[in-house]
Amino acid sequence: MKSNSVYYLALILVSVIWGVNFGISRFGMEVFTPEIFAFFRFGLAVPILFAVLKWTEGSMKVDKRDLLKLALIGFFGVTVLEILVMYSIKYTTLANASLLNVAPWPIFAALFAPFFTKEVMTPRLAIGGLVALIGVVLIILGGSNGFDFSSEYMLGNILALSISLIGALFNLACMPLMKKYSPLRVSSWYMLFGTILMFPITLGGWHAVQMTDFTISVWGAIAYNVVLCTVAAFVLWNLSMNKVGAAKANFYRYFVPASATVTGALFFNEQIFVAQIAGGLVIVLGLAFIAMEKKPKIAVELGS
């Protein structure tokens, strides 16, 4: 725990950054369609990532045989996931989307981790993850809107659940490449491919973008998404995930709904309920229990 504490703290920080972004992004949506805003987010982040990569590592190259892998990871992890997020919210309730998007993701990551790494599901990981999952359910369902099983939301529910599965596989697929390259290099390349493949989806919405609508809040939302939510967050997440293991790391996504709830209260006067406060405390307990594991069950140390 002591040697990896900085990486656990980084995972928490990234989850908080992503959670806050649920509120921050609302300002950007005043000007952009969701797909164009996502394209701005990743498109502006890519040159920054490659500039930092060149500055810190002196080279930006990857082997030609790895380009297809990186392109596939970028397609599913950036392009497809962004589309699914947009349409899951469109076809189901926010509570449904939040629960099905966030809650199963770490579970899928833990289940499929053995196919990509040497990680195994330990009793501590299973117990801590279950406790944290209960906290997530309390936060999401403890709000003003509960989970709705109506058939009219079935498509959106399936899309939201698929986000968890694809997202977990996306994270795991990065792990073998991070044995060979740094997390920064892997992030830069898959984000480049994901952004390029996202561009055709934006073609129908550019005519509606007006520069006169770019307020300070909009510029702030863009800067937050590019610098913190994408460049810093993705690199920090991949670096930390590479150190502690994908199965453990993904359970720290459970801080996302907690920080999103707090952001809604601070910026949009949304009410926080007692059940949600209790859920936040339960998440902390579950993840602290996971982080206290003394003997990591990873047979091969992953290089950075």
Side-chain angles (χ1 to χ4, degrees):
M1 167 61 181
K2 291 182 179 179
S3 61
N4 285 332
S5 59
V6 65
Y7 299 112
Y8 289 116
L9 290 174
L11 292 169
I12 294 172
L13 175 61
V14 171
S15 295
V16 170
I17 289 172
W18 284 337
V20 170
N21 194 47
F22 279 91
I24 298 294
S25 292
R26 295 185 190 182
F27 297 112
M29 299 303 175
E30 296 174 359
V31 176
F32 306 107
T33 60
E35 60 269 21
I36 290 181
F37 188 65
F39 179 77
F40 258 105
R41 170 187 171 183
F42 290 100
L44 293 175
V46 166
I48 298 175
L49 284 167
F50 274 97
V52 174
L53 178 61
K54 177 66 175 178
W55 179 54
T56 57
E57 300 186 20
S59 170
M60 300 180 292
K61 294 181 179 180
V62 294
D63 291 342
K64 290 183 179 180
R65 64 177 178 272
D66 293 324
L67 289 175
L68 179 58
K69 297 176 186 177
L70 288 161
L72 288 172
I73 290 173
F75 174 67
F76 286 103
V78 177
T79 310
V80 173
L81 274 185
E82 289 299 321
I83 297 171
L84 288 176
V85 168
M86 289 186 292
Y87 282 97
S88 68
I89 294 173
K90 180 177 180 180
Y91 290 113
T92 190
T93 66
L94 185 58
N96 288 15
S98 299
L99 185 60
L100 293 172
N101 180 335
V102 175
W105 188 315
I107 298 171
F108 285 134
L111 290 174
F112 289 105
F115 294 100
F116 295 85
T117 71
K118 299 300 182 180
E119 298 174 64
V120 297
M121 175 72 79
T122 65
R124 180 176 288 271
L125 180 60
I127 295 170
L130 177 60
V131 171
L133 175 61
I134 292 171
V136 172
V137 173
L138 285 172
I139 287 177
I140 295 174
L141 301 189
S144 57
N145 298 313
F147 194 85
D148 193 329
F149 288 97
S150 302
S151 59
E152 62 182 300
Y153 298 127
M154 186 58 65
L155 175 59
N157 292 343
I158 293 173
L159 292 176
L161 183 61
S162 68
I163 291 170
S164 287
L165 177 58
I166 294 174
L169 294 174
F170 155 61
N171 285 153
L172 291 168
C174 294
M175 298 295 283
L177 284 170
M178 288 193 292
K179 294 179 184 178
K180 184 176 183 180
Y181 307 109
S182 69
L184 174 60
R185 193 171 300 231
V186 173
S187 302
S188 301
W189 277 96
Y190 76 60
M191 211 169 290
L192 170 63
F193 285 115
T195 304
I196 292 172
L197 295 169
M198 188 186 298
F199 179 69
I201 303 169
T202 69
L203 293 178
W206 289 100
H207 67 280
V209 178
Q210 301 294 328
M211 290 299 296
T212 54
D213 295 330
F214 280 55
T215 63
I216 294 177
S217 296
V218 173
W219 282 115
I222 293 172
Y224 182 90
N225 270 267
V226 173
V227 178
L228 286 179
C229 203
T230 307
V231 174
F234 273 74
V235 174
L236 269 178
W237 183 271
N238 283 336
L239 172 63
S240 301
M241 181 175 66
N242 194 32
K243 293 295 184 180
V244 307
K248 282 186 180 179
N250 274 285
F251 277 105
Y252 282 76
R253 287 182 177 275
Y254 285 164
F255 276 108
V256 173
S259 58
T261 300
V262 173
T263 302
L266 292 176
F267 290 95
F268 301 99
N269 297 316
E270 296 177 0
Q271 186 177 354
I272 296 180
F273 296 88
V274 175
Q276 293 176 305
I277 297 174
L281 295 175
V282 171
I283 289 174
V284 171
L285 289 174
L287 297 182
F289 185 72
I290 289 175
M292 290 169 62
E293 188 163 44
K294 295 180 180 179
K295 295 180 180 180
K297 300 294 184 178
I298 303 178
V300 178
E301 183 178 354
L302 300 175
S304 60

